[in-house]
Amino acid sequence: MMKKKSISSSKASLVLFLCQMISALDVPLDLSQPPTITQQSPKDYIVDPRENIVIQCEAKGKPPPSFSWTRNGTHFDIDKDAQVTMKPNSGTLVINIMNGGKAEAYEGVYQCTARNERGAAISNNIVIRPSRSPLWTKEKLEPNQVREGDSLVLHCRPPVGLPPPIIFWMDNAFQRLPQSERVSQGLNGDLYFSNVQPEDTREDYICYARFNHTQTIQQKQPISVKVFSMDSLNDTIAANLSDTDIYGAKPVTERQPILLTPTGSTSTKVELRGNVLLLECIAAGLPTPVIRWIKEGGELPANRTFFENFKKTLKIIDVSEADSGNYKCIARNILGSAHHVISVTVKAAPYWITAPRNLVLSPGEDGTLICRANGNPKPNISWLANGVPIAIAPEDPSRKVDGDTIIFSHVQERSSAVYQCNASNEYGYLLANAFVNVLAEPPRILTPANKLYQVIADSPALLDCAYFGSPKPEIEWFKGVKGSILSGSEYVFHDNGTLEIPVAQKDSTGTYTCVARNELGKIQNEVQLEVKDPTMIIKQPEYKVIQRYGHVSFECIIKHDSTLLPTVIWLKDNDELPDDERFLVGKDNLTIMNVTDKDDGTYTCIVNTTLDSVSASAVLTVVARPNPPFDLELTGQLERSVELSWIPGDENNSPITNFVIEYEDGLHEPGVWHYQTEVPGTQTTVQLKLSPYVNYSFRVIAVNEIGRSQPSEPSEQYLTKSANPDENPSNVQGIGSEPDNLVITWESLKGFQSNGPGLQYKVSWRQKDVDDEWTSVIVANVSKYIVSGTPTFVPYEIKVQALNDLGYAPEPSEVIGHSGEDLPMVAPGNVQVHVINSTLAKVHWDPVPLKTVRGHLQGYKVYYWKVQSLSRRSRRHVEKKILTFRGNKTFGMLPGLEPYSSYKLNVRVVNGKGEGPASPDKVFKTPEGVPSSPSFLKITNPTLDSLTLEWGSPTHPNGVLTSYILKFQPINNTHELGPLVEIRIPANESSLILKNLNYSTRYKFYFNAQTSVGSGSQITEEAVTIMDEAMASRQVDIATQGWFIGLMCAVALLILILLIVCFIRRNKGGKYPVKEKEDAHADPEIQPMKEDDGTFGEYSDAEDHKPLKKGSRTPSDRTVKKEDSDDSLVDYGEGVNGQFNEDGSFIGQYSGKKEKEPAEGNESSEAPSPVNAMNSFV
């Protein structure tokens, strides 16, 4: 939450100015004027009888006034009383009490008169009364014996003091007695009990009266109260009471409300306007009644109505005649209600409507004094002149009295006087002095010359021009040296001469001139106005939520007028920051280190200048894990349930989301706490289900968004009674560990599940589907029992039942188990193999009879291995492979076979004990496949027109080789490709001499082997025929010449310089001619990428295995088709790693990588051209 407020000093000045406007124009003290009372004591003046009495009366006038006093309506000669003195140049009386005087002797009504040659002013009637704080009268107080549930009133009856004392009730230890809806103090000081309870019994109910004026406290004698409950009455004193005694042994009964105060059904109340209205209703009843207030025929006044003393007191402040009416209090409980109506009448002592104001006139002028007041009843208005009733005062022909107005016509200097207006009714009076001063004075300006006013932009500017003159001068304002008279709606001209600029702007800055003139003269004065930029908080503090012990920072960045010096103050909850080094105040921030709970609150940044003040606030919320719950209580204890209640700890500003309840079993697992349940954070009670024979303790953990609280203190322990077990062991199983036994296992019950001492288990079993009786045995608190001598792998019905010293658990459910397994007895029969292709075969077998499995059938295992390769007739180390087929499958796929090979396999059945005997070995052969690539290709003995090729046979022929295929094509210096030549070579050859080749020419060779199935993978190689000797000699001669070496170095240097220039220009964003020409012509032959297939058009080593054709820079897209297989991968067994081609063979395991066939046609592959290289560079 964030708020911002701004207080401008100019606005405060405006308020002060408006207050000044309502007072009459002051006459400078250097001019003749009648007396004016400036200070006097209050009308009702209660004095401390131990101190001197000071009765104030101060006045001003010219000449200075003299003072006199009356006491009780007659002249008070202070010179005749040695105890009374008057202060010099003052009318204030000092009555010396501390040196022997008695305050009671000076009680009375005093009035002061201040007089000079122009008139006399009088003070109010001041009633002097010494304060009184009398002692309580001695009285014998009988003990109050009262029955539980009855009402009671303890009377205070304080002594009558002046002023009345403040009443409160305390005990002997000076501690205030607690009050509530049931017990409370009335307005008269009595202590009311709506109904008494046993805890009200005590002997020290003491009423105290505090007299603030004398700073004394008086104490009443202690009052004793003894409350008898019905049980104590029956047990102790019932025998001593008669049948008619009020303490008959009746039960405490509920009673409907009755009013203890006020009594009756109606009452009246008179209150004076402006005072506080207090109405009270206190009721007896059981249960304690609740009080409600209404105003008949209307609403209780908003913003002025308050309820006190647990709504037993209705308080309305600043009452007016509109608050008169009937107010009803209603006391209600579950048995009924009672009510009382208070008729309120609001009267009013006189109050001013228009008080008379001093009147300054020049000779010959006219004027009026007006005195208007109101009240209830309407006040009487009377006039006095110089303290004398106007009817007997000296006559003045210029004066005429007309009710509440005195009219003056053509006044002369002798018309100066002080007039008093008195407005009175039965509730009080008002007295006001107002003089008429007849003067002839030229204008004078009282505001200092060249006074500087500074205001904030967009706020009012008030430029003073306090003046005096008689007749009253006229005021005009000008701006600047030669400015015209100010007028218009942007200015406000006040009667006291002040110029108001309601919304001052920066251009309002300047010099302003005030001119005052009347018929006797003229005067002017200049003032200066400066308009400043407002102070602003441009980065306000923001609402922060921080965890305990963290750090937090509030920002307060300001902008202000450069000529103003701001001061920044930080407050916490509208008070100074704590004196704590953790609070670090920076230039424009406040940082709090190691935040604690007490730092929670509202932080306000206040920026003050001499002209304005701005502030911004933000709330800091400190959050933490909740405090642990406390006061855990167990109620409603039953055999299988209990109610747990608790009081939540402080949530630390983060609402509690839930409570976790844990329990400890002190009987079985002391010190170990277990989760029981959890409830929402709004719940503080829970009904808990219990188990028998557990010594429970509970604790509660509160959880909020920050985390979990510490656990509460444990509750009291509660031991539940023992009982039969409610449940049996779980996870009962029967699995044999040997062929002739049955191992029965189960999960034991936990300690609290035993429900009582002596936990044991009854283990029962019988063979399934055989008419056998149950065999049972009772074992101790274990989790396993072994039955020996069982047949091999037969089903058993098993059950395990819990029991303790009190009896058995409910009948358990039965489970099926099996005795121990043995190895299978027979092998699968009718094993058949179907060869699908050169690398894949499918095997079938007949299932074995289940009774021969002698255990849980887990599946079949196929063992297979390669005997020999049919192409080489050579044996090698036999590596058996195993495939497992789960369940009762009777076929499977054998992948990854080698082509043209002889294999054997057998099949075995598997159970939990192991494998059975193997079926007879089955022999099968795989057909031929394509060979792998030749093992090597070497090119030797280059001559001008021939090359010698040597090769090795394929590592994996995968069949009988029929021939080798050799393809080759030339690659010339212009990157044009010659024709592709193909040669078929007999399978028994291992070398070949190629003749009739071009000299000094590069050739690329593609070589692979073939079987009857097809061609295998190819290998590639390149070679160059040599040059003839003459050409070589010429080239060597040129290459060894010095001039040729120098020329080549110069060309290389020039190319390097050109590349550097191009690189620099490219970095600067410029173009160069080669680039522009390329962009303009866009030759498709030199583009870096072809549009049709998106492949790069440059010669790449990655394409070395592809034959190149003239006229094309990329080979055509040719793919090698692979054999399809109808078998699904789900038919393959488990345990063989690797991926398979569609024909079922392992990818890359037994055959070399296949390469694409060389493309037909006249395609070519070019090396990168210089232009392409440049394009790549730039």
Side-chain angles (χ1 to χ4, degrees), residues 428-442:
Y429 73 94
L430 293 174
L431 177 67
N433 290 277
F435 64 67
V436 175
N437 195 14
V438 181
L439 293 173
E441 285 292 327

Side-chain angles (χ1 to χ4, degrees), residues 288-299:
T288 303
V290 176
I291 306 296
R292 186 169 67 92
W293 291 89
I294 61 172
K295 182 180 182 182
E296 293 182 344
E299 298 289 336

Side-chain angles (χ1 to χ4, degrees), residues 130 409 652 810 835:
S409 304
N652 292 325
V835 177

Side-chain angles (χ1 to χ4, degrees), residues 127 199 299 375 500 538 545 567 735 756 762 943 1067 1127 1134:
V127 179
E199 59 264 26
E299 298 289 336
E500 178 184 354
I538 58 177
V545 177
T567 58
I735 302 174
K762 179 182 178 182
T943 66
N1067 285 346
D1127 295 298
E1134 302 173 3

